[in-house]
Amino acid sequence: MTDKVLQNGTHIARYDAVEKPDHAFEAQVFVRLAREPEIAETYIPVGLYPTEEEALASARERAARALQEHEF
């Protein structure tokens, strides 16, 4: 996941869009403390979207909100 990372202080939010078998895209967000391993990430499902661009935009917006609201 290159360039799909937001950071706020010691917190990191990774986001992505994953294509599903029905050709929809699932927007996903994972948040964690920067010092924690990836296995300590909290998964935030964002939803299904018809295009990858819409899914990525929604995931990025949700990742930013997770950092702002300290959802860890």
Side-chain angles (χ1 to χ4, degrees):
M1 250 190 289
T2 59
D3 297 323
K4 297 177 188 164
V5 176
L6 300 177
Q7 186 165 356
N8 183 353
T10 60
H11 295 90
I12 293 174
R14 296 186 307 114
Y15 62 95
D16 201 5
V18 177
E19 187 170 9
K20 298 308 220 177
D22 63 357
H23 303 291
F25 290 86
E26 180 182 16
Q28 303 174 341
V29 173
F30 299 87
V31 293
R32 67 182 169 92
L33 286 169
R35 68 178 182 270
E36 296 296 328
E38 289 186 13
I39 58 172
E41 289 179 320
T42 299
Y43 170 68
I44 301 172
V46 182
L48 294 173
Y49 296 85
T51 68
E52 184 177 21
E53 293 78 18
E54 288 175 284
L56 284 173
S58 185
R60 188 179 199 294
E61 179 181 307
R62 185 64 181 90
R65 192 169 87 224
L67 290 176
Q68 180 181 354
E69 296 178 6
H70 303 288
E71 296 180 43
F72 311 108

